[in-house]
PDB file of all heavy atoms in Angstrom:
ATOM      1  N   ASN P  12    -132.846 118.824 108.115  1.00 91.00           N
ATOM      2  CA  ASN P  12    -131.632 118.754 107.313  1.00 91.00           C
ATOM      3  C   ASN P  12    -130.736 117.626 107.826  1.00 91.00           C
ATOM      4  O   ASN P  12    -130.536 117.488 109.039  1.00 91.00           O
ATOM      5  CB  ASN P  12    -130.868 120.069 107.366  1.00 91.00           C
ATOM      6  CG  ASN P  12    -131.563 121.167 106.596  1.00 91.00           C
ATOM      7  OD1 ASN P  12    -132.366 120.901 105.708  1.00 91.00           O
ATOM      8  ND2 ASN P  12    -131.255 122.407 106.917  1.00 91.00           N
ATOM      9  N   CYS P  13    -130.191 116.830 106.915  1.00 93.00           N
ATOM     10  CA  CYS P  13    -129.371 115.700 107.332  1.00 93.00           C
ATOM     11  C   CYS P  13    -128.167 115.542 106.416  1.00 93.00           C
ATOM     12  O   CYS P  13    -128.143 116.063 105.298  1.00 93.00           O
ATOM     13  CB  CYS P  13    -130.195 114.408 107.346  1.00 93.00           C
ATOM     14  SG  CYS P  13    -130.858 113.925 105.736  1.00 93.00           S
ATOM     15  N   ILE P  14    -127.150 114.816 106.911  1.00 95.00           N
ATOM     16  CA  ILE P  14    -125.988 114.461 106.108  1.00 95.00           C
ATOM     17  C   ILE P  14    -125.687 112.978 106.312  1.00 95.00           C
ATOM     18  O   ILE P  14    -126.135 112.363 107.284  1.00 95.00           O
ATOM     19  CB  ILE P  14    -124.736 115.304 106.444  1.00 95.00           C
ATOM     20  CG1 ILE P  14    -124.275 115.043 107.877  1.00 95.00           C
ATOM     21  CG2 ILE P  14    -124.984 116.775 106.212  1.00 95.00           C
ATOM     22  CD1 ILE P  14    -122.930 115.687 108.214  1.00 95.00           C
ATOM     23  N   ILE P  15    -124.922 112.418 105.370  1.00 96.00           N
ATOM     24  CA  ILE P  15    -124.460 111.031 105.452  1.00 96.00           C
ATOM     25  C   ILE P  15    -122.939 111.040 105.564  1.00 96.00           C
ATOM     26  O   ILE P  15    -122.264 111.780 104.841  1.00 96.00           O
ATOM     27  CB  ILE P  15    -124.856 110.233 104.196  1.00 96.00           C
ATOM     28  CG1 ILE P  15    -126.369 110.225 104.007  1.00 96.00           C
ATOM     29  CG2 ILE P  15    -124.329 108.799 104.270  1.00 96.00           C
ATOM     30  CD1 ILE P  15    -126.803 109.696 102.631  1.00 96.00           C
ATOM     31  N   ILE P  16    -122.404 110.218 106.486  1.00 95.00           N
ATOM     32  CA  ILE P  16    -120.947 110.049 106.592  1.00 95.00           C
ATOM     33  C   ILE P  16    -120.657 108.563 106.535  1.00 95.00           C
ATOM     34  O   ILE P  16    -120.981 107.814 107.472  1.00 95.00           O
ATOM     35  CB  ILE P  16    -120.387 110.649 107.898  1.00 95.00           C
ATOM     36  CG1 ILE P  16    -120.842 112.100 108.095  1.00 95.00           C
ATOM     37  CG2 ILE P  16    -118.866 110.577 107.902  1.00 95.00           C
ATOM     38  CD1 ILE P  16    -120.451 112.688 109.439  1.00 95.00           C
ATOM     39  N   ASP P  17    -120.062 108.115 105.448  1.00 95.00           N
ATOM     40  CA  ASP P  17    -119.794 106.687 105.252  1.00 95.00           C
ATOM     41  C   ASP P  17    -118.751 106.566 104.144  1.00 95.00           C
ATOM     42  O   ASP P  17    -118.863 107.228 103.108  1.00 95.00           O
ATOM     43  CB  ASP P  17    -121.084 105.959 104.864  1.00 95.00           C
ATOM     44  CG  ASP P  17    -120.981 104.441 105.039  1.00 95.00           C
ATOM     45  OD1 ASP P  17    -119.887 103.887 104.792  1.00 95.00           O
ATOM     46  OD2 ASP P  17    -121.992 103.824 105.400  1.00 95.00           O
ATOM     47  N   ASP P  18    -117.759 105.713 104.364  1.00 93.00           N
ATOM     48  CA  ASP P  18    -116.727 105.555 103.344  1.00 93.00           C
ATOM     49  C   ASP P  18    -117.104 104.535 102.272  1.00 93.00           C
ATOM     50  O   ASP P  18    -116.354 104.337 101.314  1.00 93.00           O
ATOM     51  CB  ASP P  18    -115.394 105.163 103.989  1.00 93.00           C
ATOM     52  CG  ASP P  18    -115.452 103.794 104.664  1.00 93.00           C
ATOM     53  OD1 ASP P  18    -116.483 103.508 105.309  1.00 93.00           O
ATOM     54  OD2 ASP P  18    -114.480 103.023 104.545  1.00 93.00           O
ATOM     55  N   ASP P  19    -118.270 103.895 102.425  1.00 92.00           N
ATOM     56  CA  ASP P  19    -118.717 102.903 101.461  1.00 92.00           C
ATOM     57  C   ASP P  19    -119.712 103.534 100.480  1.00 92.00           C
ATOM     58  O   ASP P  19    -120.793 103.986 100.885  1.00 92.00           O
ATOM     59  CB  ASP P  19    -119.370 101.723 102.189  1.00 92.00           C
ATOM     60  CG  ASP P  19    -119.792 100.630 101.239  1.00 92.00           C
ATOM     61  OD1 ASP P  19    -118.934  99.917 100.715  1.00 92.00           O
ATOM     62  OD2 ASP P  19    -121.016 100.512 100.996  1.00 92.00           O
ATOM     63  N   LYS P  20    -119.345 103.571  99.192  1.00 92.00           N
ATOM     64  CA  LYS P  20    -120.174 104.244  98.197  1.00 92.00           C
ATOM     65  C   LYS P  20    -121.547 103.593  98.045  1.00 92.00           C
ATOM     66  O   LYS P  20    -122.554 104.289  97.860  1.00 92.00           O
ATOM     67  CB  LYS P  20    -119.454 104.273  96.848  1.00 92.00           C
ATOM     68  CG  LYS P  20    -118.214 105.154  96.840  1.00 92.00           C
ATOM     69  CD  LYS P  20    -117.567 105.183  95.463  1.00 92.00           C
ATOM     70  CE  LYS P  20    -116.342 106.087  95.458  1.00 92.00           C
ATOM     71  NZ  LYS P  20    -115.696 106.142  94.119  1.00 92.00           N
ATOM     72  N   LEU P  21    -121.608 102.267  98.123  1.00 93.00           N
ATOM     73  CA  LEU P  21    -122.888 101.573  97.989  1.00 93.00           C
ATOM     74  C   LEU P  21    -123.824 101.933  99.137  1.00 93.00           C
ATOM     75  O   LEU P  21    -125.010 102.192  98.926  1.00 93.00           O
ATOM     76  CB  LEU P  21    -122.670 100.061  97.933  1.00 93.00           C
ATOM     77  CG  LEU P  21    -123.950  99.209  97.836  1.00 93.00           C
ATOM     78  CD1 LEU P  21    -124.740  99.574  96.583  1.00 93.00           C
ATOM     79  CD2 LEU P  21    -123.599  97.715  97.858  1.00 93.00           C
ATOM     80  N   SER P  22    -123.288 101.971 100.352  1.00 93.00           N
ATOM     81  CA  SER P  22    -124.103 102.342 101.515  1.00 93.00           C
ATOM     82  C   SER P  22    -124.649 103.761 101.369  1.00 93.00           C
ATOM     83  O   SER P  22    -125.800 104.036 101.704  1.00 93.00           O
ATOM     84  CB  SER P  22    -123.277 102.235 102.801  1.00 93.00           C
ATOM     85  OG  SER P  22    -122.929 100.909 103.067  1.00 93.00           O
ATOM     86  N   ILE P  23    -123.825 104.658 100.878  1.00 94.00           N
ATOM     87  CA  ILE P  23    -124.272 106.030 100.669  1.00 94.00           C
ATOM     88  C   ILE P  23    -125.387 106.086  99.638  1.00 94.00           C
ATOM     89  O   ILE P  23    -126.397 106.785  99.835  1.00 94.00           O
ATOM     90  CB  ILE P  23    -123.087 106.927 100.242  1.00 94.00           C
ATOM     91  CG1 ILE P  23    -122.217 107.236 101.466  1.00 94.00           C
ATOM     92  CG2 ILE P  23    -123.589 108.239  99.614  1.00 94.00           C
ATOM     93  CD1 ILE P  23    -121.107 108.222 101.207  1.00 94.00           C
ATOM     94  N   ARG P  24    -125.253 105.328  98.563  1.00 95.00           N
ATOM     95  CA  ARG P  24    -126.299 105.335  97.531  1.00 95.00           C
ATOM     96  C   ARG P  24    -127.626 104.815  98.084  1.00 95.00           C
ATOM     97  O   ARG P  24    -128.687 105.350  97.778  1.00 95.00           O
ATOM     98  CB  ARG P  24    -125.863 104.501  96.325  1.00 95.00           C
ATOM     99  CG  ARG P  24    -124.847 105.189  95.442  1.00 95.00           C
ATOM    100  CD  ARG P  24    -124.834 104.605  94.032  1.00 95.00           C
ATOM    101  NE  ARG P  24    -124.481 103.192  94.031  1.00 95.00           N
ATOM    102  CZ  ARG P  24    -123.241 102.736  93.914  1.00 95.00           C
ATOM    103  NH1 ARG P  24    -122.227 103.584  93.804  1.00 95.00           N
ATOM    104  NH2 ARG P  24    -123.006 101.444  93.906  1.00 95.00           N
ATOM    105  N   VAL P  25    -127.564 103.769  98.910  1.00 95.00           N
ATOM    106  CA  VAL P  25    -128.781 103.224  99.519  1.00 95.00           C
ATOM    107  C   VAL P  25    -129.441 104.257 100.428  1.00 95.00           C
ATOM    108  O   VAL P  25    -130.656 104.494 100.362  1.00 95.00           O
ATOM    109  CB  VAL P  25    -128.463 101.943 100.317  1.00 95.00           C
ATOM    110  CG1 VAL P  25    -129.668 101.505 101.135  1.00 95.00           C
ATOM    111  CG2 VAL P  25    -128.039 100.816  99.374  1.00 95.00           C
ATOM    112  N   LEU P  26    -128.639 104.904 101.261  1.00 95.00           N
ATOM    113  CA  LEU P  26    -129.182 105.924 102.171  1.00 95.00           C
ATOM    114  C   LEU P  26    -129.749 107.109 101.395  1.00 95.00           C
ATOM    115  O   LEU P  26    -130.801 107.655 101.757  1.00 95.00           O
ATOM    116  CB  LEU P  26    -128.109 106.395 103.146  1.00 95.00           C
ATOM    117  CG  LEU P  26    -127.797 105.457 104.307  1.00 95.00           C
ATOM    118  CD1 LEU P  26    -126.627 105.979 105.117  1.00 95.00           C
ATOM    119  CD2 LEU P  26    -129.014 105.268 105.198  1.00 95.00           C
ATOM    120  N   GLU P  27    -129.060 107.521 100.353  1.00 95.00           N
ATOM    121  CA  GLU P  27    -129.557 108.640  99.542  1.00 95.00           C
ATOM    122  C   GLU P  27    -130.916 108.301  98.927  1.00 95.00           C
ATOM    123  O   GLU P  27    -131.810 109.161  98.868  1.00 95.00           O
ATOM    124  CB  GLU P  27    -128.544 108.977  98.445  1.00 95.00           C
ATOM    125  CG  GLU P  27    -127.306 109.680  98.972  1.00 95.00           C
ATOM    126  CD  GLU P  27    -126.265 109.922  97.894  1.00 95.00           C
ATOM    127  OE1 GLU P  27    -126.327 109.245  96.839  1.00 95.00           O
ATOM    128  OE2 GLU P  27    -125.373 110.780  98.102  1.00 95.00           O
ATOM    129  N   GLU P  28    -131.088 107.057  98.507  1.00 95.00           N
ATOM    130  CA  GLU P  28    -132.380 106.646  97.952  1.00 95.00           C
ATOM    131  C   GLU P  28    -133.455 106.646  99.030  1.00 95.00           C
ATOM    132  O   GLU P  28    -134.575 107.114  98.804  1.00 95.00           O
ATOM    133  CB  GLU P  28    -132.258 105.248  97.335  1.00 95.00           C
ATOM    134  CG  GLU P  28    -133.553 104.760  96.700  1.00 95.00           C
ATOM    135  CD  GLU P  28    -133.429 103.361  96.119  1.00 95.00           C
ATOM    136  OE1 GLU P  28    -132.298 102.847  96.034  1.00 95.00           O
ATOM    137  OE2 GLU P  28    -134.474 102.769  95.775  1.00 95.00           O
ATOM    138  N   PHE P  29    -133.136 106.128 100.223  1.00 95.00           N
ATOM    139  CA  PHE P  29    -134.101 106.121 101.332  1.00 95.00           C
ATOM    140  C   PHE P  29    -134.512 107.547 101.702  1.00 95.00           C
ATOM    141  O   PHE P  29    -135.693 107.837 101.915  1.00 95.00           O
ATOM    142  CB  PHE P  29    -133.494 105.435 102.558  1.00 95.00           C
ATOM    143  CG  PHE P  29    -133.404 103.927 102.472  1.00 95.00           C
ATOM    144  CD1 PHE P  29    -132.755 103.198 103.460  1.00 95.00           C
ATOM    145  CD2 PHE P  29    -133.964 103.238 101.408  1.00 95.00           C
ATOM    146  CE1 PHE P  29    -132.665 101.822 103.392  1.00 95.00           C
ATOM    147  CE2 PHE P  29    -133.884 101.855 101.323  1.00 95.00           C
ATOM    148  CZ  PHE P  29    -133.227 101.142 102.322  1.00 95.00           C
ATOM    149  N   ILE P  30    -133.533 108.435 101.786  1.00 95.00           N
ATOM    150  CA  ILE P  30    -133.806 109.822 102.172  1.00 95.00           C
ATOM    151  C   ILE P  30    -134.667 110.518 101.125  1.00 95.00           C
ATOM    152  O   ILE P  30    -135.575 111.288 101.459  1.00 95.00           O
ATOM    153  CB  ILE P  30    -132.488 110.586 102.401  1.00 95.00           C
ATOM    154  CG1 ILE P  30    -131.781 110.047 103.649  1.00 95.00           C
ATOM    155  CG2 ILE P  30    -132.736 112.095 102.552  1.00 95.00           C
ATOM    156  CD1 ILE P  30    -130.356 110.539 103.815  1.00 95.00           C
ATOM    157  N   SER P  31    -134.412 110.231  99.858  1.00 94.00           N
ATOM    158  CA  SER P  31    -135.188 110.868  98.780  1.00 94.00           C
ATOM    159  C   SER P  31    -136.663 110.476  98.837  1.00 94.00           C
ATOM    160  O   SER P  31    -137.521 111.215  98.373  1.00 94.00           O
ATOM    161  CB  SER P  31    -134.605 110.496  97.412  1.00 94.00           C
ATOM    162  OG  SER P  31    -134.830 109.127  97.108  1.00 94.00           O
ATOM    163  N   LYS P  32    -136.964 109.322  99.427  1.00 92.00           N
ATOM    164  CA  LYS P  32    -138.350 108.854  99.550  1.00 92.00           C
ATOM    165  C   LYS P  32    -139.023 109.348 100.822  1.00 92.00           C
ATOM    166  O   LYS P  32    -140.211 109.104 101.031  1.00 92.00           O
ATOM    167  CB  LYS P  32    -138.405 107.319  99.518  1.00 92.00           C
ATOM    168  CG  LYS P  32    -137.960 106.699  98.224  1.00 92.00           C
ATOM    169  CD  LYS P  32    -138.347 105.227  98.138  1.00 92.00           C
ATOM    170  CE  LYS P  32    -137.633 104.386  99.158  1.00 92.00           C
ATOM    171  NZ  LYS P  32    -137.906 102.933  98.957  1.00 92.00           N
ATOM    172  N   THR P  33    -138.263 110.037 101.666  1.00 91.00           N
ATOM    173  CA  THR P  33    -138.772 110.444 102.979  1.00 91.00           C
ATOM    174  C   THR P  33    -138.952 111.958 102.999  1.00 91.00           C
ATOM    175  O   THR P  33    -137.976 112.715 103.077  1.00 91.00           O
ATOM    176  CB  THR P  33    -137.793 110.000 104.089  1.00 91.00           C
ATOM    177  OG1 THR P  33    -137.495 108.613 103.918  1.00 91.00           O
ATOM    178  CG2 THR P  33    -138.411 110.224 105.466  1.00 91.00           C
ATOM    179  N   GLU P  34    -140.201 112.418 102.919  1.00 85.00           N
ATOM    180  CA  GLU P  34    -140.485 113.846 102.734  1.00 85.00           C
ATOM    181  C   GLU P  34    -139.986 114.726 103.871  1.00 85.00           C
ATOM    182  O   GLU P  34    -139.688 115.895 103.666  1.00 85.00           O
ATOM    183  CB  GLU P  34    -141.989 114.056 102.542  1.00 85.00           C
ATOM    184  CG  GLU P  34    -142.516 113.489 101.231  1.00 85.00           C
ATOM    185  CD  GLU P  34    -143.983 113.811 101.022  1.00 85.00           C
ATOM    186  OE1 GLU P  34    -144.595 114.397 101.946  1.00 85.00           O
ATOM    187  OE2 GLU P  34    -144.513 113.474  99.954  1.00 85.00           O
ATOM    188  N   CYS P  35    -139.907 114.173 105.064  1.00 85.00           N
ATOM    189  CA  CYS P  35    -139.505 115.001 106.209  1.00 85.00           C
ATOM    190  C   CYS P  35    -137.995 115.208 106.287  1.00 85.00           C
ATOM    191  O   CYS P  35    -137.515 115.918 107.175  1.00 85.00           O
ATOM    192  CB  CYS P  35    -140.015 114.385 107.512  1.00 85.00           C
ATOM    193  SG  CYS P  35    -139.406 112.710 107.812  1.00 85.00           S
ATOM    194  N   LEU P  36    -137.221 114.599 105.383  1.00 90.00           N
ATOM    195  CA  LEU P  36    -135.770 114.733 105.399  1.00 90.00           C
ATOM    196  C   LEU P  36    -135.278 115.528 104.191  1.00 90.00           C
ATOM    197  O   LEU P  36    -135.816 115.389 103.092  1.00 90.00           O
ATOM    198  CB  LEU P  36    -135.097 113.358 105.394  1.00 90.00           C
ATOM    199  CG  LEU P  36    -135.323 112.475 106.611  1.00 90.00           C
ATOM    200  CD1 LEU P  36    -134.611 111.138 106.433  1.00 90.00           C
ATOM    201  CD2 LEU P  36    -134.864 113.148 107.889  1.00 90.00           C
ATOM    202  N   ASN P  37    -134.249 116.331 104.421  1.00 91.00           N
ATOM    203  CA  ASN P  37    -133.618 117.106 103.357  1.00 91.00           C
ATOM    204  C   ASN P  37    -132.116 116.846 103.410  1.00 91.00           C
ATOM    205  O   ASN P  37    -131.426 117.296 104.322  1.00 91.00           O
ATOM    206  CB  ASN P  37    -133.907 118.598 103.543  1.00 91.00           C
ATOM    207  CG  ASN P  37    -133.191 119.447 102.504  1.00 91.00           C
ATOM    208  OD1 ASN P  37    -133.146 119.095 101.332  1.00 91.00           O
ATOM    209  ND2 ASN P  37    -132.623 120.562 102.943  1.00 91.00           N
ATOM    210  N   LEU P  38    -131.612 116.078 102.435  1.00 94.00           N
ATOM    211  CA  LEU P  38    -130.191 115.740 102.409  1.00 94.00           C
ATOM    212  C   LEU P  38    -129.382 116.935 101.901  1.00 94.00           C
ATOM    213  O   LEU P  38    -129.581 117.403 100.785  1.00 94.00           O
ATOM    214  CB  LEU P  38    -129.958 114.530 101.503  1.00 94.00           C
ATOM    215  CG  LEU P  38    -128.512 114.032 101.408  1.00 94.00           C
ATOM    216  CD1 LEU P  38    -128.019 113.534 102.758  1.00 94.00           C
ATOM    217  CD2 LEU P  38    -128.393 112.937 100.351  1.00 94.00           C
ATOM    218  N   VAL P  39    -128.446 117.405 102.731  1.00 93.00           N
ATOM    219  CA  VAL P  39    -127.631 118.565 102.347  1.00 93.00           C
ATOM    220  C   VAL P  39    -126.188 118.192 102.057  1.00 93.00           C
ATOM    221  O   VAL P  39    -125.406 119.047 101.634  1.00 93.00           O
ATOM    222  CB  VAL P  39    -127.682 119.664 103.433  1.00 93.00           C
ATOM    223  CG1 VAL P  39    -129.089 120.222 103.568  1.00 93.00           C
ATOM    224  CG2 VAL P  39    -127.181 119.144 104.783  1.00 93.00           C
ATOM    225  N   GLY P  40    -125.821 116.910 102.262  1.00 93.00           N
ATOM    226  CA  GLY P  40    -124.448 116.521 101.947  1.00 93.00           C
ATOM    227  C   GLY P  40    -124.169 115.060 102.237  1.00 93.00           C
ATOM    228  O   GLY P  40    -124.721 114.488 103.179  1.00 93.00           O
ATOM    229  N   SER P  41    -123.319 114.444 101.400  1.00 95.00           N
ATOM    230  CA  SER P  41    -122.831 113.084 101.624  1.00 95.00           C
ATOM    231  C   SER P  41    -121.310 113.137 101.653  1.00 95.00           C
ATOM    232  O   SER P  41    -120.689 113.738 100.770  1.00 95.00           O
ATOM    233  CB  SER P  41    -123.305 112.144 100.501  1.00 95.00           C
ATOM    234  OG  SER P  41    -124.707 112.019 100.489  1.00 95.00           O
ATOM    235  N   PHE P  42    -120.713 112.496 102.671  1.00 95.00           N
ATOM    236  CA  PHE P  42    -119.270 112.596 102.858  1.00 95.00           C
ATOM    237  C   PHE P  42    -118.663 111.210 103.036  1.00 95.00           C
ATOM    238  O   PHE P  42    -119.165 110.392 103.795  1.00 95.00           O
ATOM    239  CB  PHE P  42    -118.950 113.449 104.098  1.00 95.00           C
ATOM    240  CG  PHE P  42    -119.514 114.846 104.024  1.00 95.00           C
ATOM    241  CD1 PHE P  42    -120.774 115.130 104.530  1.00 95.00           C
ATOM    242  CD2 PHE P  42    -118.786 115.858 103.431  1.00 95.00           C
ATOM    243  CE1 PHE P  42    -121.300 116.407 104.454  1.00 95.00           C
ATOM    244  CE2 PHE P  42    -119.305 117.147 103.353  1.00 95.00           C
ATOM    245  CZ  PHE P  42    -120.568 117.423 103.859  1.00 95.00           C
ATOM    246  N   TYR P  43    -117.563 110.959 102.315  1.00 93.00           N
ATOM    247  CA  TYR P  43    -116.832 109.708 102.456  1.00 93.00           C
ATOM    248  C   TYR P  43    -115.818 109.786 103.586  1.00 93.00           C
ATOM    249  O   TYR P  43    -115.214 108.791 103.943  1.00 93.00           O
ATOM    250  CB  TYR P  43    -116.115 109.374 101.149  1.00 93.00           C
ATOM    251  CG  TYR P  43    -117.050 109.158  99.983  1.00 93.00           C
ATOM    252  CD1 TYR P  43    -117.107 110.059  98.933  1.00 93.00           C
ATOM    253  CD2 TYR P  43    -117.897 108.054  99.947  1.00 93.00           C
ATOM    254  CE1 TYR P  43    -117.969 109.862  97.864  1.00 93.00           C
ATOM    255  CE2 TYR P  43    -118.771 107.849  98.886  1.00 93.00           C
ATOM    256  CZ  TYR P  43    -118.798 108.765  97.850  1.00 93.00           C
ATOM    257  OH  TYR P  43    -119.665 108.568  96.807  1.00 93.00           O
ATOM    258  N   SER P  44    -115.643 110.968 104.156  1.00 91.00           N
ATOM    259  CA  SER P  44    -114.653 111.188 105.214  1.00 91.00           C
ATOM    260  C   SER P  44    -115.282 111.971 106.364  1.00 91.00           C
ATOM    261  O   SER P  44    -115.953 112.984 106.147  1.00 91.00           O
ATOM    262  CB  SER P  44    -113.454 111.969 104.659  1.00 91.00           C
ATOM    263  OG  SER P  44    -112.698 112.566 105.684  1.00 91.00           O
ATOM    264  N   ALA P  45    -115.057 111.502 107.599  1.00 92.00           N
ATOM    265  CA  ALA P  45    -115.567 112.209 108.776  1.00 92.00           C
ATOM    266  C   ALA P  45    -114.889 113.565 108.933  1.00 92.00           C
ATOM    267  O   ALA P  45    -115.494 114.519 109.417  1.00 92.00           O
ATOM    268  CB  ALA P  45    -115.343 111.358 110.026  1.00 92.00           C
ATOM    269  N   VAL P  46    -113.620 113.655 108.497  1.00 92.00           N
ATOM    270  CA  VAL P  46    -112.884 114.920 108.599  1.00 92.00           C
ATOM    271  C   VAL P  46    -113.553 115.986 107.727  1.00 92.00           C
ATOM    272  O   VAL P  46    -113.760 117.131 108.154  1.00 92.00           O
ATOM    273  CB  VAL P  46    -111.414 114.727 108.184  1.00 92.00           C
ATOM    274  CG1 VAL P  46    -110.689 116.074 108.158  1.00 92.00           C
ATOM    275  CG2 VAL P  46    -110.726 113.758 109.135  1.00 92.00           C
ATOM    276  N   LYS P  47    -113.917 115.627 106.496  1.00 91.00           N
ATOM    277  CA  LYS P  47    -114.584 116.572 105.616  1.00 91.00           C
ATOM    278  C   LYS P  47    -115.957 116.962 106.171  1.00 91.00           C
ATOM    279  O   LYS P  47    -116.384 118.114 106.031  1.00 91.00           O
ATOM    280  CB  LYS P  47    -114.727 115.981 104.219  1.00 91.00           C
ATOM    281  CG  LYS P  47    -113.406 115.840 103.476  1.00 91.00           C
ATOM    282  CD  LYS P  47    -113.606 115.289 102.076  1.00 91.00           C
ATOM    283  CE  LYS P  47    -112.280 115.188 101.339  1.00 91.00           C
ATOM    284  NZ  LYS P  47    -112.449 114.622  99.972  1.00 91.00           N
ATOM    285  N   ALA P  48    -116.614 116.021 106.807  1.00 92.00           N
ATOM    286  CA  ALA P  48    -117.928 116.320 107.399  1.00 92.00           C
ATOM    287  C   ALA P  48    -117.800 117.326 108.537  1.00 92.00           C
ATOM    288  O   ALA P  48    -118.632 118.230 108.679  1.00 92.00           O
ATOM    289  CB  ALA P  48    -118.578 115.030 107.904  1.00 92.00           C
ATOM    290  N   ILE P  49    -116.754 117.197 109.338  1.00 91.00           N
ATOM    291  CA  ILE P  49    -116.531 118.152 110.432  1.00 91.00           C
ATOM    292  C   ILE P  49    -116.317 119.553 109.878  1.00 91.00           C
ATOM    293  O   ILE P  49    -116.866 120.536 110.404  1.00 91.00           O
ATOM    294  CB  ILE P  49    -115.328 117.714 111.295  1.00 91.00           C
ATOM    295  CG1 ILE P  49    -115.701 116.493 112.133  1.00 91.00           C
ATOM    296  CG2 ILE P  49    -114.875 118.850 112.206  1.00 91.00           C
ATOM    297  CD1 ILE P  49    -114.560 115.931 112.935  1.00 91.00           C
ATOM    298  N   ASN P  50    -115.527 119.662 108.829  1.00 88.00           N
ATOM    299  CA  ASN P  50    -115.302 120.978 108.214  1.00 88.00           C
ATOM    300  C   ASN P  50    -116.615 121.582 107.732  1.00 88.00           C
ATOM    301  O   ASN P  50    -116.834 122.798 107.856  1.00 88.00           O
ATOM    302  CB  ASN P  50    -114.322 120.842 107.044  1.00 88.00           C
ATOM    303  CG  ASN P  50    -112.923 120.474 107.502  1.00 88.00           C
ATOM    304  OD1 ASN P  50    -112.532 120.791 108.629  1.00 88.00           O
ATOM    305  ND2 ASN P  50    -112.163 119.803 106.644  1.00 88.00           N
ATOM    306  N   TYR P  51    -117.487 120.740 107.192  1.00 90.00           N
ATOM    307  CA  TYR P  51    -118.792 121.239 106.726  1.00 90.00           C
ATOM    308  C   TYR P  51    -119.656 121.676 107.906  1.00 90.00           C
ATOM    309  O   TYR P  51    -120.277 122.754 107.875  1.00 90.00           O
ATOM    310  CB  TYR P  51    -119.511 120.149 105.935  1.00 90.00           C
ATOM    311  CG  TYR P  51    -120.898 120.542 105.489  1.00 90.00           C
ATOM    312  CD1 TYR P  51    -121.095 121.278 104.325  1.00 90.00           C
ATOM    313  CD2 TYR P  51    -122.021 120.196 106.239  1.00 90.00           C
ATOM    314  CE1 TYR P  51    -122.370 121.654 103.913  1.00 90.00           C
ATOM    315  CE2 TYR P  51    -123.297 120.559 105.841  1.00 90.00           C
ATOM    316  CZ  TYR P  51    -123.463 121.287 104.677  1.00 90.00           C
ATOM    317  OH  TYR P  51    -124.722 121.661 104.283  1.00 90.00           O
ATOM    318  N   LEU P  52    -119.694 120.874 108.958  1.00 88.00           N
ATOM    319  CA  LEU P  52    -120.534 121.191 110.117  1.00 88.00           C
ATOM    320  C   LEU P  52    -120.073 122.450 110.829  1.00 88.00           C
ATOM    321  O   LEU P  52    -120.875 123.144 111.454  1.00 88.00           O
ATOM    322  CB  LEU P  52    -120.553 120.006 111.092  1.00 88.00           C
ATOM    323  CG  LEU P  52    -121.289 118.757 110.600  1.00 88.00           C
ATOM    324  CD1 LEU P  52    -121.035 117.580 111.535  1.00 88.00           C
ATOM    325  CD2 LEU P  52    -122.791 119.019 110.492  1.00 88.00           C
ATOM    326  N   ASN P  53    -118.805 122.755 110.773  1.00 84.00           N
ATOM    327  CA  ASN P  53    -118.296 123.989 111.380  1.00 84.00           C
ATOM    328  C   ASN P  53    -118.815 125.239 110.664  1.00 84.00           C
ATOM    329  O   ASN P  53    -118.800 126.336 111.223  1.00 84.00           O
ATOM    330  CB  ASN P  53    -116.766 124.000 111.372  1.00 84.00           C
ATOM    331  CG  ASN P  53    -116.181 123.054 112.401  1.00 84.00           C
ATOM    332  OD1 ASN P  53    -116.826 122.757 113.411  1.00 84.00           O
ATOM    333  ND2 ASN P  53    -114.967 122.573 112.164  1.00 84.00           N
TER     334      ASN P  53
END
């Protein structure tokens, strides 16, 4: 299980595409803010 934390929308889209092609990864969330990511990880 993995998440992305990046404030750049283009970078997130690129990573989401890479992750979708990688069978061993399961994307559970993308966050534009590190603060929101911390709340999720808690």
Side-chain angles (χ1 to χ4, degrees):
N12 289 338
C13 62
I14 64 172
I15 301 168
I16 308 173
D17 197 324
D18 65 319
D19 183 73
K20 292 182 179 180
L21 178 59
S22 294
I23 284 186
R24 284 202 299 269
V25 171
L26 283 174
E27 287 176 341
E28 182 181 350
F29 285 174
I30 292 169
S31 70
K32 296 194 294 186
T33 309
E34 292 185 355
C35 59
L36 295 179
N37 176 42
L38 182 64
V39 295
S41 296
F42 302 91
Y43 298 111
S44 161
V46 174
K47 291 182 179 179
I49 288 176
N50 292 333
Y51 176 84
L52 291 170
N53 286 334

